[in-house]
Amino acid sequence: MAVTEADETSPLLGNGNENGTAPKIKTAKTAKAARVAGAIFGPANRILLAGFMMSFTLGITQVPIIYVFRLMECDIFYTHNPPFDGLGDRCHRREINAGTATQVSVLGMTTSFSGIFNLFICGYFIKIWGPRWAFCSQTALLGIRVSTQILGVTIGGRAGEIIFQACQAIGVVGGPRGFQLVLNTAVSELVAAKDRTAVFGRLQGSIMLGTAFGFLLGGVLGEVYNIRRPFETAFFLYVACTIYGALFLPTGTGDGTSQKKSGRGISGFFAPIKIIRSHKYRLESGKVVKVYSLVFLALGIFLGVFASGYAPILLQMYATSEFNFGTIENGYLMFGNSAIRGVFLLLMFPKIISAGRIWFNGKQASSQTRHAEPESRIPINPEDFEADECGEVPQEPVQAPDPDEEDSGTGFDLFFVRWSLVIDSMVTFFAGFSTNGWQVYLAGYLLPFASGSAPAAKGVMTELCPPEQRPDAISAITLVESTATLLTQGLFGLIFAAFSEMDKPSLTFFCNAGFALIGFIVLFMAYLPPANSKRIDDHDSEAESEN
């Protein structure tokens, strides 16, 4: 009979049993059940569920907001013009479509502008409160914001638009960017480096799935009941998200080293800005060089988000103005777009990253094998260094990387970021030729396959930074995305309004595709540091110069 091996939970004396076999078997079964429960209800899955719940709540109001603004702009138009007495939709006019695009653009700019400041404030909350209470602060304040939107829907007209746009300032302290920053920061410290990019994608996928179902439910609630019902439902869901975060979200991640070293003062508040700059690396030969990879990576991601960030709004605006889509049609469109993107990031993206790294590292390894020097090695221990004339070691030993912790697939992650922008530009370009409603659906359902650049960029960014700077690195890349979203919603909203006045709104798609290609070109100037090099900070280089 096979005897179950003891583990760390097995009693030393067997609880009175002579050989301790029965208690060992019972303990082994209990330990196995505990491991299964831990895998299902572990911190990572609780974080993914929090992302799904929050994005679901946010998505409920996204489709109705555009329809609400169209109704309010329609009411404003007919207060200064003769009443509508024809057949069909009285709001289907070029002037109303242009006015709606302008007001939605202002709303998007206000939201994104608030989100930029929200990143700094929420990042500071994470350092002083931890992930759990930082998350709760974001959900509670978002509940307050949606309550003001209920008031704006009730009042309507120009006053309703002003209430919507002005109360977005609540997002400075608590907003959607903040809760995503909390969850990404938590994941970055929970997950091993080799799996970090894939888990970033899974988190983004769960967020997109929540957004998809939120889009669908929001459109149905607005069509079946009234336009206020989606906002009222979102308010109660924000309350539920706050309670969930307070009870189940992990209180801390990792060993807290990153938060201790990142600082909590003014320098810690603005630390994300300092990440995006050139950094010095010491080559294997001892030469120190500057690497600008983070600068060009940030610029490439900025252009990529700038090109594609307006696509969901653009598809809705274009379909509404050209094909008379309502809330249900736009709800199905955004549901399909977000659902396909969520499934892609949850299921396909991790497999693409895994298979791509095997392919990419295989090529890289074979190339390095041909050019490797058999005698070269990096000194690890202090006694491996030659002493100087005074008998002192001239520099600190280089820490050998742990193969299990080292993310050796960062090169493919960067490769993936580049070519995803090419696919995005191609789909966006052909979307400009849509002449039927089904073609808009097709474009909306193909665009998700160009996603994945954001989680891959987070993986590259966190791997290029020391462990203590990873929370600030995530804040930095999120800050870049928020800034690009701010500009794209403002600029392309005005571009769409101008093209709508010319009765050629489809030209906006071609502008989006052009910026995506520019981002693809810029990303080729971002490269990984040379092999066997070591990053040195400013204080390290100053100490070495003194020695």
Side-chain angles (χ1 to χ4, degrees):
M1 178 183 297
V3 180
T4 305
E5 295 182 359
D7 56 16
E8 65 275 7
T9 62
S10 301
L12 296 177
L13 300 178
N15 290 336
N17 186 284
E18 183 175 353
N19 53 18
T21 303
K24 289 179 182 179
I25 296 175
K26 182 178 180 181
T27 305
K29 292 181 179 179
T30 305
K32 182 178 179 181
R35 286 195 296 268
V36 173
I40 297 176
F41 303 104
N45 284 341
R46 282 182 278 155
I47 291 172
L48 296 181
L49 180 58
F52 176 86
M53 292 175 61
M54 277 299 298
S55 59
F56 174 73
T57 307
L58 282 165
I60 289 177
T61 59
Q62 296 306 303
V63 172
I65 279 179
I66 295 179
Y67 189 71
V68 163
F69 268 80
R70 187 167 184 259
L71 293 179
M72 292 190 293
E73 196 65 26
C74 184
D75 294 336
I76 295 170
F77 176 81
Y78 284 108
T79 57
H80 305 289
N81 292 276
F84 179 78
D85 57 358
L87 300 177
D89 184 8
R90 75 186 190 106
C91 298
H92 188 65
R93 294 182 61 95
R94 186 172 63 250
E95 299 89 345
I96 295 175
N97 293 332
T100 303
T102 302
Q103 296 302 321
V104 171
S105 174
V106 173
L107 178 69
M109 291 177 63
T110 307
T111 304
S112 299
F113 192 74
S114 301
I116 292 175
F117 288 98
N118 179 228
L119 290 174
F120 292 100
I121 295 177
C122 185
Y124 194 72
F125 286 168
I126 295 173
K127 294 176 182 178
I128 61 177
W129 292 341
R132 172 181 288 185
W133 301 116
F135 178 83
C136 292
S137 67
Q138 305 305 296
T139 56
L141 289 167
L142 281 170
I144 296 175
R145 192 181 74 174
V146 80
S147 64
T148 64
Q149 294 175 349
I150 297 174
L151 178 63
V153 174
T154 304
I155 296 175
R158 185 66 69 188
E161 291 180 345
I162 294 175
I163 291 175
F164 263 85
Q165 295 163 349
C167 291
Q168 293 300 101
I170 298 175
V172 172
V173 184
R177 294 291 179 182
F179 95 82
Q180 293 183 39
L181 174 61
V182 172
L183 299 181
N184 278 288
T185 302
V187 167
S188 70
E189 297 186 3
L190 276 172
V191 181
K194 60 183 180 180
D195 300 323
R196 193 177 296 131
T197 300
V199 178
F200 280 141
R202 289 182 59 203
L203 176 60
Q204 188 67 27
S206 62
I207 290 175
M208 294 310 302
L209 276 181
T211 303
F213 286 102
F215 281 154
L216 183 63
L217 180 61
V220 172
L221 288 176
E223 188 78 18
V224 175
Y225 295 97
N226 57 70
I227 202 62
R228 282 184 51 182
R229 188 56 56 87
F231 300 92
E232 296 169 347
T233 304
F235 173 78
F236 291 104
L237 288 177
Y238 279 126
V239 175
C241 290
T242 305
I243 297 174
Y244 172 83
L247 295 178
F248 301 108
L249 206 65
T251 55
T253 56
D255 56 1
T257 303
S258 61
Q259 293 182 10
K260 292 179 183 178
K261 293 184 178 180
S262 58
R264 296 183 179 183
I266 299 299
S267 60
F269 187 84
F270 293 103
I273 300 179
K274 301 177 183 178
I275 296 293
I276 306 175
R277 60 182 177 87
S278 62
H279 295 278
K280 294 180 181 179
Y281 283 80
R282 184 190 299 111
L283 303 181
E284 191 174 9
S285 62
K287 181 181 178 181
V288 177
V289 297
K290 275 190 174 183
V291 177
Y292 295 86
S293 295
L294 293 181
V295 178
F296 290 113
L297 176 65
L299 182 58
I301 292 299
F302 175 87
L303 291 172
V305 176
F306 184 78
S308 61
Y310 192 70
I313 298 178
L314 176 60
L315 287 172
Q316 294 181 73
M317 300 290 293
Y318 183 73
T320 301
S321 61
E322 294 297 312
F323 308 116
N324 201 25
F325 275 27
T327 55
I328 288 185
E329 290 83 1
N330 277 331
Y332 287 141
L333 174 64
M334 290 297 98
F335 170 77
N337 178 275
S338 300
I340 294 174
R341 181 172 299 180
V343 172
F344 172 79
L345 291 173
L346 274 172
L347 303 179
M348 299 177 63
F349 177 76
K351 294 182 179 179
I352 292 174
I353 292 295
S354 178
R357 286 179 174 182
I358 295 174
W359 165 74
F360 194 87
N361 292 336
K363 290 177 56 180
Q364 195 176 50
S366 61
S367 176
Q368 291 178 354
T369 302
R370 290 193 300 267
H371 297 87
E373 296 181 5
E375 297 297 329
S376 64
R377 69 182 183 90
I378 300 177
I380 298 176
N381 301 313
E383 59 269 16
D384 295 335
F385 289 85
E386 296 182 0
D388 60 6
E389 296 178 357
C390 300
E392 296 178 353
V393 177
Q395 62 182 3
E396 295 180 359
V398 179
Q399 297 294 329
D402 187 352
D404 294 332
E405 292 296 327
E406 184 181 6
D407 191 353
S408 60
T410 309
F412 177 76
D413 296 352
L414 183 58
F415 175 86
F416 183 87
V417 173
R418 292 169 181 161
W419 288 98
S420 63
L421 293 184
V422 175
I423 300 175
D424 182 271
S425 64
M426 293 175 60
V427 176
T428 307
F429 178 80
F430 288 109
F433 295 100
S434 300
T435 56
N436 294 288
W438 68 267
Q439 294 171 344
V440 176
Y441 280 110
L442 179 63
Y445 295 165
L446 288 178
L447 276 175
F449 293 99
S451 60
S453 59
K458 289 185 177 74
V460 177
M461 182 73 81
T462 54
E463 186 59 29
L464 293 179
C465 294
E468 64 271 12
Q469 294 183 356
R470 283 172 187 163
D472 294 327
I474 295 175
S475 298
I477 199 69
T478 311
L479 177 63
V480 170
E481 295 174 357
S482 300
T483 306
T485 303
L486 167 66
L487 294 179
T488 190
Q489 290 181 347
L491 179 60
F492 277 107
L494 298 176
I495 290 175
F496 182 82
F499 285 146
S500 295
E501 290 284 356
M502 299 168 54
D503 202 19
K504 295 181 179 179
S506 61
L507 296 179
T508 314
F509 289 99
F510 305 140
C511 295
N512 275 298
F515 277 103
L517 284 179
I518 296 175
F520 167 74
I521 296 172
V522 170
L523 283 172
F524 268 99
M525 291 183 281
Y527 58 92
L528 299 181
N532 299 325
S533 62
K534 179 181 182 294
R535 175 172 163 175
I536 55 177
D537 296 327
D538 292 337
H539 61 274
D540 295 334
S541 59
E542 291 176 1
E544 290 178 0
S545 62
E546 291 176 0
N547 291 331

